[in-house]
Amino acid sequence: MLFKSYSEGEKKLEHLAFSDEVTGGINKLEFQIKYRKLCRKHIAEQYAIVMMDSVDFKIVNRNLGAKNGDKLLRYFYAVMAEALKEEDREFVTRTEMDHFFLCMKETNFQVIQERLNAIVREINTFQGMDLPKYKIRFRRGISFGDSSETDVTVIQDQARAALKNQK
């Protein structure tokens, strides 16, 4: 019996260590670990890292309240996760506030843009949401891993810089 509770406690700790407290999905640490696994398999060059940032989310948060803002962030995460291809080892995380990183198996910029446009369109359907509908816009930054040797934080920083250059 003691072993069972230790195992459950261990699972709880692992969940806390690698899960985002708002979305319930993977956190930024788990995102980086998963990307490094792609690097070890020498396939990181087949992937792009995308940063998506909801424009003026603080207005939504102020109008709906933080609790509903968190509900909306969970919805964003769910739509993004659903649009990614698990069989291609694609994944998403919310890093802070309303910022998300997606790892997408794609090297064609235009195809990535089309997929991101489809995600934003789906988010704006507010399917299954009982909140007032807002027109949600996202800024995006895309960075391509040029080598499995490049650290994921560098690629994330490049995606963040690309996003900021869109202002």
Side-chain angles (χ1 to χ4, degrees):
M1 193 62 157
L2 180 63
F3 182 74
K4 184 178 179 189
S5 66
Y6 175 75
S7 177
E8 288 171 12
E10 209 172 43
K11 286 179 187 176
K12 217 178 236 188
L13 281 175
E14 185 175 322
H15 179 75
L16 288 171
F18 298 112
S19 298
D20 176 60
E21 69 277 1
V22 173
T23 65
I26 67 171
N27 66 11
K28 62 183 175 181
L29 176 61
E30 179 68 7
F31 182 93
Q32 292 173 345
I33 290 168
K34 287 178 92 160
Y35 186 82
R36 287 181 181 120
K37 285 179 183 175
L38 296 175
C39 290
R40 283 198 298 275
K41 294 179 182 189
H42 300 287
I43 58 174
E45 296 85 1
Q46 300 171 19
Y47 288 81
I49 299 292
V50 176
M51 182 176 190
M52 292 183 70
D53 172 25
S54 173
V55 176
D56 296 327
F57 190 77
K58 14 179 193 259
I59 294 170
V60 174
N61 238 353
R62 187 174 51 229
N63 291 339
L64 298 179
K67 187 175 178 180
N68 284 325
D70 285 351
K71 186 176 182 180
L72 202 52
L73 291 172
R74 284 189 291 279
Y75 170 70
F76 293 171
Y77 179 87
V79 171
M80 290 176 194
E82 180 70 27
L84 297 177
K85 301 171 187 165
E86 196 173 313
E87 67 275 9
D88 284 340
R89 298 183 184 120
E90 295 183 335
F91 46 94
V92 60
T93 186
R94 182 188 74 94
T95 56
E96 70 268 345
M97 300 178 297
D98 58 335
H99 302 160
F100 295 84
F101 276 107
L102 295 81
C103 179
M104 302 174 80
K105 186 175 184 182
E106 185 57 62
T107 57
N108 182 307
F109 182 81
Q110 190 59 42
V111 171
I112 293 170
Q113 287 289 18
E114 290 168 11
R115 289 183 65 192
L116 296 175
N117 289 340
I119 289 170
V120 173
R121 278 193 305 274
E122 181 62 29
I123 284 172
N124 279 297
T125 67
F126 286 86
Q127 190 75 27
M129 292 295 291
D130 59 351
L131 296 173
K133 292 180 170 74
Y134 283 85
K135 174 76 170 153
I136 305 293
R137 294 180 304 123
F138 286 88
R139 292 182 305 146
R140 311 149 190 193
I142 302 170
S143 180
F144 297 94
D146 56 357
S147 159
S148 288
E149 304 297 315
T150 307
D151 189 70
V152 64
T153 57
V154 171
I155 299 167
Q156 287 177 303
D157 287 344
Q158 291 168 344
R160 186 177 278 112
L163 180 141
K164 290 182 186 214
N165 285 334
Q166 290 183 6
K167 285 186 175 181

